[in-house]
Amino acid sequence: MLFSIHTTRGALTIFLADVVISCLFLEFFFSVLPGPFEGYLPFCIITLIVLFSLFISSLYSFTEPVSPLELFKRIVIAFLISCGYIVTLSFFITDLVLINWRLLPPLSTIFVCLFLFRYILYYDMRRNRNRVLIIGANDLTREIVNESQKKRSRDYEIVGIISAVENQVGANFHGIPVLGPMEQINEALQCISPIDIIVVTLRDRRGKLPVHDLLKLKTSNIRIQEGSTFYEEVKKKIIIDEYLKPSWFLFEEGFCQTPIHRTIKHIQGVFVSFCILTILSPLLLLIALLIKLESPGPVFYRQERVGFNGKIFRLLKFRSMITGAEALSGPTFAQKDDPRITRVGRVLRKLRLDEVPQFINIFKGDMDMVGPRPERPVFVKEMEKAIPYYNLRHSVRPGLTGWAQVNYSYGDNIEAGREKLQYDLYYVKHSTWLMDLAIMFLTIKEVLFARGR
């Protein structure tokens, strides 16, 4: 078996592998590309800069779980830091000509290889996964276990469960062995050692949770984590249940967008929407013609939606249903194989082309490129009555696409609305430029494979 990243030997091996990767690619590119890179001094300086950038970006920290997106983010940050150090050194050391376009291919290749190297180590090698023990055998544990069984590439391995119910001991909980009762947690740990993370999903903890044992384990370099927090990390959504309290939102990191962040995001949306509307104008004219030829009625469908801070705006879409589709039924969710959808509308929905006019809404400032999808006021009122914290999704501008759209299918009832809200709240909490970029790429994949409805 290969080394484990959780040992000193493993960390040292990764460091040496980084040195080898950097040296090999620098040697190769410096030998084939003509330029001012002569001698070993530039070679050594760039290698040291790469290693230092990896250290600054926490890429030599192996004690915490890291998602693929977080790994990519850290690699990008390390790459930018490397570029910054090289530019800075070139101003202070005039004998070194380091600012040169020929540096870009080797530096980019190095960081791509470092990302792939760590991705394989973190997610494809079972020995390097964080070993997780769960305290509590309940619905939350079941959700976490099921998610781990669905994912082949993951950075954790659930090795056992401690239960507060004695008759569960010795049995399997959805394929994971129940090792013992609460009072025998130390004995259970000896059977499955080593353990990196203990996840507490137990809800009724008074008089049951072995607090003193957990404190001792925490000081022994074992991470103790709330079940809801671990659930958020592995499922990429925030669980909404009776245990989620307003105080959690108050004291949790995130859920805050600065005016500068909102302004930059809006400017990006205006620029992109202008470009796309200009480029796609011939296609939009063709779609408008096809809609007119198939059925009588307007080309565009205007509908009231709830936007930023609850403000009502009129959303634009290409009409994909017959005129007066809700005249008799009133406002209803779109259903699978809805008979009200026209033939042209069905194709538009499959390719999500019916949403393209919403770039006009983005240009006007009603929406952003990425954010929770805006809902109709009548549905919002229903959701706010049935689902707690639903109004928090309106703390950011709605989007043409969102985290819920790339992770969950169309919702046509209250329960689906609850599921989508869990993804929307995760986005509101973790919203970053990099996450927006990932959502855009996933949306493009959805469009290319015609997964709309």
Side-chain angles (χ1 to χ4, degrees):
M1 294 179 69
L2 294 177
F3 60 87
S4 169
I5 62 174
H6 301 295
T7 63
T8 303
R9 178 185 173 188
L12 182 61
T13 306
I14 291 174
F15 176 80
L16 293 176
D18 291 342
V19 173
V20 172
I21 290 171
S22 301
C23 291
L24 283 176
F25 281 103
L26 286 172
E27 177 68 28
F28 172 75
F29 278 97
F30 282 10
S31 62
V32 298
L33 291 177
F37 307 108
E38 296 180 358
Y40 285 100
L41 186 56
F43 185 95
C44 294
I45 288 176
I46 294 172
T47 301
L48 289 173
I49 286 174
V50 169
L51 297 173
F52 186 69
S53 300
L54 294 173
F55 174 77
I56 290 292
S57 305
S58 300
L59 284 163
Y60 290 120
S61 175
F62 306 112
T63 59
E64 56 178 323
V66 178
S67 68
L69 187 62
E70 179 65 23
L71 175 62
F72 177 74
K73 175 183 173 183
R74 292 184 185 184
I75 288 289
V76 171
I77 291 172
F79 173 74
L80 295 176
I81 291 173
S82 295
C83 294
Y85 275 127
I86 289 170
V87 170
T88 303
L89 279 175
S90 298
F91 281 111
F92 288 100
I93 308 176
T94 54
D95 293 337
L96 292 176
V97 188
L98 292 178
I99 303 178
N100 195 294
W101 68 268
R102 294 179 181 87
L103 264 181
L104 194 58
L107 207 58
S108 302
T109 307
I110 286 169
F111 279 97
V112 168
C113 288
L114 292 175
F115 172 77
L116 295 174
F117 174 57
R118 277 169 168 74
Y119 187 93
I120 293 170
L121 286 179
Y122 287 11
Y123 309 112
D124 288 340
M125 290 177 56
R126 292 189 64 178
R127 189 177 181 183
N128 288 329
R129 293 173 181 170
N130 287 288
R131 292 170 62 82
V132 177
L133 174 70
I134 299 179
I135 296 181
N138 47 37
D139 290 341
L140 182 56
T141 303
R142 174 177 53 79
E143 289 275 346
I144 293 172
V145 170
N146 289 343
E147 183 67 17
S148 72
Q149 292 170 344
K150 285 191 294 184
K151 283 186 176 180
R152 188 184 69 85
S153 295
R154 59 183 188 275
D155 65 343
Y156 65 94
E157 190 79 22
I158 300 173
V159 295
I161 294 172
I162 298 293
S163 176
V165 182
E166 290 191 11
N167 59 13
Q168 288 182 326
V169 177
N172 278 353
F173 186 85
H174 295 270
I176 306 297
V178 179
L179 303 173
M182 295 290 175
E183 57 272 13
Q184 295 180 9
I185 185 171
N186 290 316
E187 290 82 352
L189 283 171
Q190 291 175 3
C191 300
I192 55 172
S193 183
I195 287 292
D196 302 299
I197 303 172
I198 294 177
V199 176
V200 181
T201 63
L202 188 68
R203 297 302 197 183
D204 183 16
R205 301 175 181 178
R206 188 172 299 175
K208 297 179 181 178
L209 194 66
V211 176
H212 295 291
D213 289 332
L214 291 177
L215 281 171
K216 187 176 180 180
L217 292 168
K218 185 178 178 69
T219 57
S220 302
N221 206 28
I222 294 178
R223 294 179 64 216
I224 312 297
Q225 202 165 6
E226 274 279 4
S228 57
T229 303
F230 190 78
Y231 175 93
E232 181 184 335
E233 289 180 2
V234 302
K235 297 278 283 184
K236 305 304 177 189
K237 61 181 182 181
I238 293 174
I239 189 169
I240 299 175
D241 57 17
E242 66 272 21
Y243 298 98
L244 185 63
K245 304 298 181 185
S247 58
W248 183 86
F249 291 97
L250 290 175
F251 299 110
E252 192 73 8
E253 293 290 332
F255 297 106
C256 180
Q257 284 195 350
T258 63
I260 294 175
H261 178 81
R262 289 198 185 102
T263 302
I264 293 174
K265 194 173 178 180
H266 174 58
I267 292 171
Q268 289 174 339
V270 169
F271 176 76
V272 172
S273 59
F274 176 79
C275 293
I276 289 178
L277 288 170
T278 303
I279 293 168
L280 295 183
S281 54
L283 176 62
L284 302 183
L285 289 172
L286 176 61
I287 292 172
L289 180 62
L290 291 173
I291 292 172
K292 272 292 187 183
L293 289 175
E294 185 184 19
S295 62
V299 171
F300 294 109
Y301 180 62
R302 294 173 175 84
Q303 195 176 65
E304 286 191 343
R305 297 291 176 101
V306 179
F308 180 52
N309 284 337
K311 181 182 177 182
I312 305 296
F313 71 97
R314 294 180 70 82
L315 179 135
L316 278 174
K317 298 177 75 171
F318 277 126
R319 182 171 60 83
S320 58
M321 290 186 177
I322 59 174
T323 305
E326 294 184 337
L328 296 177
S329 63
T332 58
F333 288 105
Q335 305 291 323
K336 186 176 181 180
D337 299 324
D338 199 316
R340 301 173 299 171
I341 301 175
T342 63
R343 287 175 298 174
V344 172
R346 200 169 299 282
V347 176
L348 294 179
R349 285 180 170 231
K350 275 288 182 185
L351 299 173
R352 297 186 186 253
L353 291 174
D354 61 321
E355 313 279 3
V356 174
Q358 289 168 46
F359 282 108
I360 298 173
N361 290 112
I362 295 172
F363 191 81
K364 290 169 60 181
D366 297 326
M367 299 170 58
D368 280 328
M369 291 290 293
V370 178
R373 286 294 292 156
E375 294 289 354
R376 300 170 67 175
V378 62
F379 295 146
V380 168
K381 288 179 181 177
E382 291 179 18
M383 297 286 191
E384 286 180 340
K385 291 178 182 177
I387 308 172
Y389 314 111
Y390 189 83
N391 61 334
L392 289 178
R393 72 195 301 276
H394 301 136
S395 60
V396 297
R397 279 196 187 96
L400 179 66
T401 184
W403 189 236
Q405 277 58 51
V406 297
N407 284 283
Y408 193 74
S409 60
Y410 278 86
D412 54 10
N413 54 50
I414 298 292
E415 194 53 43
R418 177 186 291 269
E419 186 69 19
K420 288 172 64 177
L421 178 63
Q422 294 182 121
Y423 288 108
D424 287 336
L425 291 181
Y426 181 88
Y427 173 78
V428 173
K429 180 182 178 183
H430 297 280
S431 175
T432 61
W433 179 84
L434 188 62
M435 187 176 185
D436 286 353
L437 187 64
I439 291 171
M440 290 302 298
F441 278 119
L442 290 170
T443 302
I444 292 170
K445 185 182 76 170
E446 294 278 320
V447 172
L448 291 176
F449 288 95
R451 290 176 180 170
R453 189 171 106 185

